[in-house]
Amino acid sequence: MRLAVVILNWNGEAFLRRFLPGVIACSTGEGAPEGCEATVVVADNGSTDGSVRWLEEAYVSVGNPWVRLLAFDKNYGFTGGYNRALAHESLVAFDAYLLLNSDVEVTPGWLEPLAALFEAEPTVGAAMPKLRAYDRREYFEYAGASGGFIDRLGYPFCRGRIFDTVEQDEGQYDTVRDVFWATGAALLVRAEAWRRAGGLEEAFFAHMEEIDLCWRLHRMGWHVAVVPQSVVYHVGGGALPASSPRKIYLNFRNNLAMLYRNLSLGHFAVIYFIRFWLDGCQAAAYLCTGRCAFAGAVVRGHRDFWCRMRRGLRRERWNGFALPSPRVMYRGSVALRYLFGRRRFGKMM
């Protein structure tokens, strides 16, 4: 299997200096899984720091055979950057791509369990490793933990993370299993599945795009899995910190866009009526705690979905109210369960 580990970078020179040498050592040459030819590709999204210069001096100019650099003219976002990178002529011959954030520390042998699953299970279109927090290494990391799920109102959660409650990793979620979505921080996807699904929806720019992609993969008959025997450590918020109203805005706007694209119009109308009030309560909570910028981000997310984004979205073909299997999609409300004290995945599903 020919595998490309593709790192999308935007002004992340510090992360590249810290983590790229480890990615190369643990993924290429002797660090690659047996029978797997792996290459590391850094796709630069129009960085204005010293990222490109450092990459050229450290790897490109010395002729490192395991590292390639693609430099874009501007920042196309997470979605546009990866779509352009994986469509590049130098990458079309690969069998699989591993989309990896620049702020991820990998571990020796991290690719072996993922590659083994792809070899053994040809119906698995995407998979992810277990994510732990870089600064609290015994805890799961928010962006994906040990596999992503979603409830029927569109709220995403993980094995090991419900909303802002993150569990300590004690091996309780170490089984390989199907999930609804795999994190974009470290996402292995078959080239065939990527092309058939059409890549990422560029209107999202960033956030929720991997959940939207995985939803399409499910509909096409692919499985999405988590392989906890592969472990990586994620800093999180490398390009956009959790304290940023911009992050809140993108999450709320793109969550609505994802539901609109993947549900029937009638189903979406029902869900949106409920979400309008729930998201309104969230905005009110932000106001009551003095986080006015966050409250405004929620309002702008709803407004811009309806006024700017919706008409340009490509809707997926979907018949009736059918939803993915209850094994990967929670049919209740994770928000209500959370409100009444069920804040661990083991008590949720």
Side-chain angles (χ1 to χ4, degrees), residues 117-238:
L117 178 69
F118 263 35
E119 292 287 355
E121 302 291 344
T123 61
V124 175
M128 62 169 281
K130 176 167 63 178
L131 260 69
R132 283 183 173 176
Y134 180 76
D135 56 349
R136 294 201 307 165
R137 300 175 79 83
E138 70 275 19
Y139 283 83
F140 291 109
E141 205 280 319
Y142 180 94
S146 191
F149 295 81
I150 196 172
D151 76 356
R152 70 179 303 123
L153 296 180
Y155 290 114
F157 60 101
C158 308
R159 283 202 307 178
R161 191 271 296 172
I162 309 291
F163 291 118
D164 290 333
T165 300
V166 179
E167 299 179 38
Q168 186 172 348
D169 181 12
E170 300 173 335
Q172 68 271 42
Y173 306 125
D174 274 357
T175 54
V176 177
R177 63 158 296 172
D178 284 359
V179 294
F180 186 83
W181 57 273
T183 177
L187 172 63
L188 179 63
V189 59
R190 291 187 193 273
E192 178 189 357
W194 173 272
R195 287 191 288 266
R196 285 179 56 194
L200 300 172
E201 172 53 65
E202 294 199 21
F204 282 45
F205 190 79
H207 295 293
M208 300 280 177
E209 70 289 320
E210 75 268 50
I211 307 179
D212 176 74
L213 171 65
C214 290
W215 201 330
R216 279 178 279 141
L217 292 178
H218 282 295
R219 179 178 301 114
M220 296 165 60
W222 296 100
H223 291 264
V224 179
V226 59
V227 187
Q229 290 67 39
S230 172
V231 180
V232 300
Y233 294 88
H234 186 214
V235 174

Side-chain angles (χ1 to χ4, degrees), residues 279-289 295:
D279 292 357
C281 290
Q282 180 65 70
Y286 284 140
L287 282 175
C288 291
T289 54

